Amino acid sequence: MERDCDTFKNIRTIPVTNTQLILAKISVLFIFGISFCIISTLAVAVFAKVFQMGMVYGMGYKLIMSIVFGILIVAASLPIVLLIIYFNRTFLLSILLSFFYSILNWGILGTVGTTISETKIMFLNSFPVICVMNWTSGSMMEHLQKDNLLPEAYAIIPSTLHTLLLMLITVALSLWL
């Protein structure tokens, strides 16, 4: 945007290095991601209360999970941010890249089908966004009655260590590139 609006030269007059500028922008991404997740969680609770659509239990846990999800989903999205910066040609291309990244992740989830093999689970959980969503879903399922879920529902959940390592690798590679 700075180059498109011809404000990049004004930003360059601020005595910060490129690395500091990049880290500041990525920090803002994390702040917005966490804020969005917290506001979404609170909005659901208010909606349920106002329209008497049920009760939201465990708000403390859900708020903590929304913060964790905000951090992890922004970290999982850094590869597309990197592509958008690298292919920074037009605003339309940025939108298309983001759209196709989203479609790619949901399309990969469609490969699960009715059978879940160990190979499919490893394949699915090698994608950062899907790994984060599966891990978060698994953590939320831990706080439900387990009588209502099939055992296969738990097979796809990655471990916390796997999720954190994948996110650390994703963030490190994205920042390095």
Side-chain angles (χ1 to χ4, degrees):
M1 274 312 266
E2 291 94 2
R3 288 184 188 99
D4 296 342
C5 297
D6 203 26
T7 58
F8 187 69
K9 60 185 172 198
N10 295 339
I11 291 174
R12 296 305 308 148
T13 62
I14 302 169
V16 294
T17 65
N18 281 340
T19 304
Q20 291 171 322
L21 188 61
I22 290 168
L23 290 176
K25 288 182 177 197
I26 290 174
S27 298
V28 169
L29 281 175
F30 278 100
I31 290 167
F32 277 128
I34 293 166
S35 300
F36 176 79
C37 289
I38 291 171
I39 291 168
S40 298
T41 302
L42 293 173
V44 167
V46 168
F47 180 85
K49 181 75 171 170
V50 169
F51 293 104
Q52 299 174 353
M53 302 296 290
M55 193 68 186
V56 178
Y57 297 100
M59 269 311 286
Y61 169 76
K62 288 183 175 134
L63 284 172
I64 290 170
M65 279 306 294
S66 68
I67 293 169
V68 170
F69 184 75
I71 292 168
L72 293 178
I73 205 68
V74 170
S77 301
L78 284 179
I80 194 63
V81 171
L82 175 72
L83 286 176
I84 288 170
I85 291 169
Y86 182 73
F87 293 112
N88 189 15
R89 304 288 181 251
T90 65
F91 187 65
L92 180 62
L93 184 63
S94 299
I95 293 172
L96 287 173
L97 282 171
S98 299
F99 177 75
F100 285 120
Y101 188 67
S102 300
I103 295 300
L104 171 75
N105 282 300
W106 285 110
I108 291 169
L109 277 176
T111 65
V112 173
T114 56
T115 60
I116 298 176
S117 66
E118 189 69 31
T119 308
K120 274 188 183 179
I121 291 169
M122 287 175 48
F123 174 73
L124 287 172
N125 287 327
S126 66
F127 292 91
V129 172
I130 296 170
C131 182
V132 167
M133 293 183 75
N134 287 341
W135 179 83
T136 307
S137 298
S139 181
M140 295 295 257
M141 284 191 302
E142 290 288 323
H143 289 78
L144 293 175
Q145 288 182 342
K146 303 211 184 342
D147 301 339
N148 300 333
L149 300 171
L150 295 173
E152 292 83 15
Y154 294 97
I156 201 166
I157 301 166
S159 69
T160 301
L161 179 63
H162 172 84
T163 304
L164 290 177
L165 284 176
L166 183 62
M167 290 304 100
L168 287 173
I169 291 169
T170 302
V171 169
L173 282 175
S174 295
L175 290 177
W176 179 71
L177 290 172

